[in-house]
Amino acid sequence: MPSGRAVLLVTGAARGIGRAIADAALAAGDRVVAVDRDTADFGQSDRLLPLVCNVADPQAVAATVQQALAWAGRIDGLVNNAGIGRPAMIDRMTAAEWNEVLEVNLSGSFHMLQAVGRSMMEARRAGIGDFSPAIVNIASDAGRRGTVGQINYGAAKAGVIGLTMSAAREWARHGIRVNAVSFGVVATDMTAAIRTDRFRDTYLQQIPMGRFAEPADVVAPVLFLLSQGAAYITGQTLSVNGGYDIHA
Ligand code: NAI
């Protein structure tokens, strides 16, 4: 999956990277459950179900997954993409800023992984669906290299990588693959500040390929990890960052 007939649930699908993933899966003919805390105009398609949900709320997540299952019967793929940043230097970060980022980026990924994973196990037991289920969690180089001014975000994304490896180990025997992708800087609303004149050159100097990613650059690696081409890949974190992590 996605292969033209699969069911994909994408969180944070209203804009940015999540929107690009949802659009690509729809264009490939898949059915897409587009989950976001905000509403968005996705256009009309009988293969699209937009649902409003805060992924940090486990009850809302459980209800959302039930709505998705009532609509599609099963979920073949999950992309845990919803994320936020609340930047502050360590000495000035409030407990609220710390907690909010952990709750959305890490706990939100857990709640959705747990709820969708349960449904994948049930579907497999019941023999529903032709696809091998797979999950992709969106991590970040901030979770592997650290980051200045976003300790909450770096810790949450490192947690996402740990979550990925643990779920991959636990669910391999259920046929569920779980991987992560680690982005550097992708040109979305989230990175508008980084891409201003003040910071742009500092970041670009650290990227061997010399440019920021566009959302289109990061879609295909996510879809690959969901696909049968990645049937023997689990528990991995794939760098999609123009070589940022190999920069000296
Ligand atoms: P964005 O800010 O453009 O979009 C994020 C989407 O997530 C928005 O539609 C927002 O409404 C939704 N969202 C936020 N909190 C939510 C919640 N509690 N429940 C449901 N939906 C929620 O961000 P972007 O750039 O598209 O980021 C997507 C993912 O990629 C995030 O996990 C982010 O941390 C990660 N990432 C982004 C990078 C970048 O350079 N843009 C770099 C590395 C990772």
Side-chain angles (χ1 to χ4, degrees), residues 222-248:
V222 172
L223 298 185
F224 162 69
L225 286 172
L226 292 170
S227 77
Q228 276 305 297
Y232 198 54
I233 301 175
T234 198
Q236 303 304 305
T237 298
L238 176 63
S239 291
V240 184
N241 57 12
Y244 176 68
D245 58 318
I246 54 167
H247 183 262

Side-chain angles (χ1 to χ4, degrees), residues 165-227:
M165 293 187 290
S166 298
R169 280 177 178 262
E170 206 166 310
W171 285 350
R173 69 194 176 90
H174 297 296
I176 303 170
R177 294 183 301 98
V178 188
N179 290 291
V181 286
S182 183
F183 300 144
V185 179
V186 188
T188 67
D189 292 352
M190 184 179 270
T191 56
I194 286 173
R195 292 178 289 109
T196 57
D197 289 348
R198 185 165 167 217
F199 298 113
R200 184 190 301 115
D201 290 348
T202 310
Y203 277 92
L204 284 178
Q205 278 160 16
Q206 300 175 63
I207 303 172
M209 290 185 72
R211 68 174 178 88
F212 299 128
E214 293 300 324
D217 290 317
V218 302
V219 169
V222 172
L223 298 185
F224 162 69
L225 286 172
L226 292 170
S227 77

Side-chain angles (χ1 to χ4, degrees), residues 10-19 34-37 55 79-83:
V10 184
T11 69
R15 61 170 198 254
I17 294 166
R19 179 62 184 259
V35 174
D36 205 286
R37 70 177 171 196
V55 297
V79 182
N80 258 325
N81 165 82

Side-chain angles (χ1 to χ4, degrees), residues 31-170:
R31 278 182 287 170
V32 176
V33 182
V35 174
D36 205 286
R37 70 177 171 196
D38 294 340
T39 53
D41 181 5
F42 289 98
Q44 286 297 317
S45 168
D46 57 4
R47 288 187 290 103
L48 178 87
L49 178 68
L51 293 175
V52 173
C53 168
N54 173 5
V55 297
D57 176 347
Q59 286 174 338
V61 167
T64 295
V65 170
Q66 285 313 310
Q67 282 177 274
L69 291 170
W71 177 69
R74 65 178 203 277
I75 300 168
D76 304 302
L78 165 65
V79 182
N80 258 325
N81 165 82
I84 57 166
R86 295 286 180 268
M89 300 306 273
I90 298 169
D91 56 317
R92 285 186 232 139
M93 184 169 288
T94 64
E97 286 165 340
W98 169 266
N99 287 332
E100 195 184 350
V101 169
L102 269 288
E103 279 165 15
V104 174
N105 295 20
L106 181 55
S107 301
S109 296
F110 168 72
H111 300 319
M112 198 50 93
L113 173 131
Q114 182 185 52
V116 172
R118 281 175 177 155
S119 81
M120 287 171 165
M121 283 189 265
E122 277 164 28
R124 208 173 139 89
R125 271 195 294 272
I128 299 168
D130 308 326
F131 301 92
S132 325
I135 296 172
V136 174
N137 300 314
I138 307 299
S140 166
D141 289 342
R144 304 214 283 188
R145 292 190 50 171
T147 179
V148 174
Q150 292 205 77
I151 191 171
N152 46 3
Y153 185 81
K157 292 300 190 182
V160 166
I161 293 169
L163 173 104
T164 299
M165 293 187 290
S166 298
R169 280 177 178 262
E170 206 166 310

